[in-house]
Amino acid sequence: MKKMISLLAVLVMTVSLVACGQSKDSTKDSETASEEKDTWVMAINATFPPFESIDNGTDNYVGIDIDIANHIAEKLGKELEINDMQFSALVPTMESGRADLIISGISPTEERQKVLSFSNPYYFPMNAIICAKGADYTELGQLEGKIIGVSMGTSYAEIAKSVKDATVSELDSTPLVVQDILSGRCDAGIFDATQAAVFVQENEGLECHIISSDITLEDTFAIALPKDSEYVDQINDILAEMNEDGTLHEILVKYMGEDTTAQYEKMVQNLDIAK
């Protein structure tokens, strides 16, 4: 009887040890799976084509920033979860720990750098002239005495007013400026260069010419990360690689077209801040 009790005790202990071993292994497997599923939340404001917007008729996010983010995530072995919100909410969302990065046409202003870390700039916003195809207004000086359309309340109005003898037509929106150029009511308009590229792609009767602009670090677009993030250097290396291997060029061409991208890249070569 004692032998049977002893045998049963041994069996119970053996089963318990096996069960404990399985429990530890299961926990370890669960932790490993959790580590492998490394998801980053990317905060964006999807109302800024060609950098980020929602593809017509779908729920897909598209744009220059989206493609750059996907490339970086792939290089770092991350999954991306996009959180679309108002632009004013981007920084507070990251400060609260609810976002891992912001790639949304955001500039590294002095105020933002106090609470966030930023990558090196990946884009240098410039201005452009849009005019009817064939007009070939490549410089502001060529608009002397012309009617120049601008969106009301923007800095472009001041640029237009600097042109000698020009008549400045301030309209309620940039699409209205485009319509006035197409109809001949304006000889040209001044726009953000990337926005100009979109308008030209959408309207065959237009052409755009990027003009030289004074650009500071606070004008550029960079990737925002939590303060003192360990990923800043890795992302800078990836951005440098994208410039060298042509990946960034291909993304810009995809959304801005060959001609505008060529103009932009030529201008960037002359920017001290880009060197």
Side-chain angles (χ1 to χ4, degrees), residues 221-257:
F221 292 166
I223 297 169
L225 297 155
K227 191 65 177 175
D228 300 321
S229 170
E230 62 182 283
Y231 287 99
V232 172
D233 289 340
Q234 292 182 62
I235 288 176
N236 282 338
D237 288 343
I238 294 170
L239 289 174
E241 184 182 78
M242 291 175 73
N243 267 307
E244 291 168 5
D245 67 13
T247 301
L248 185 59
H249 170 80
E250 291 175 5
I251 291 172
L252 295 179
V253 169
K254 178 180 175 181
Y255 293 99
M256 292 168 50

Side-chain angles (χ1 to χ4, degrees), residues 6 26 49-50 67-68 90 111 117 128 131 138 152 173 181 195 207 216 250 260-261:
S6 298
S26 297
D67 284 12
I68 290 174
L90 294 175
E111 197 66 26
S117 288
C131 56
T138 60
M152 190 178 295
S173 67
I181 297 170
Q195 190 179 38
E207 62 185 30
T216 67
E250 291 175 5
T260 303
T261 299

Side-chain angles (χ1 to χ4, degrees), residues 17-58:
L17 288 170
V18 171
C20 288
Q22 288 176 337
S23 177
K24 289 178 181 177
D25 289 343
S26 297
T27 302
K28 188 176 180 180
D29 289 344
S30 177
E31 289 174 354
T32 302
S34 177
E35 290 173 5
E36 289 175 353
K37 188 184 177 184
D38 198 350
T39 300
W40 269 2
V41 175
M42 181 172 77
I44 68 168
N45 173 241
T47 60
F48 186 37
F51 286 92
E52 48 268 326
S53 60
I54 299 175
D55 194 18
N56 290 334
T58 74

Side-chain angles (χ1 to χ4, degrees), residues 209-223:
H209 301 280
I210 296 177
I211 54 179
S212 59
S213 309
D214 293 327
I215 299 174
T216 67
L217 179 64
E218 294 198 358
D219 298 319
T220 66
F221 292 166
I223 297 169

Side-chain angles (χ1 to χ4, degrees), residues 65-85:
D65 285 345
I66 305 301
D67 284 12
I68 290 174
N70 284 329
H71 184 83
I72 290 172
E74 183 180 351
K75 286 286 186 178
L76 293 176
K78 307 291 183 183
E79 295 290 333
L80 279 185
E81 177 185 315
I82 295 177
N83 190 358
D84 185 14
M85 62 189 70

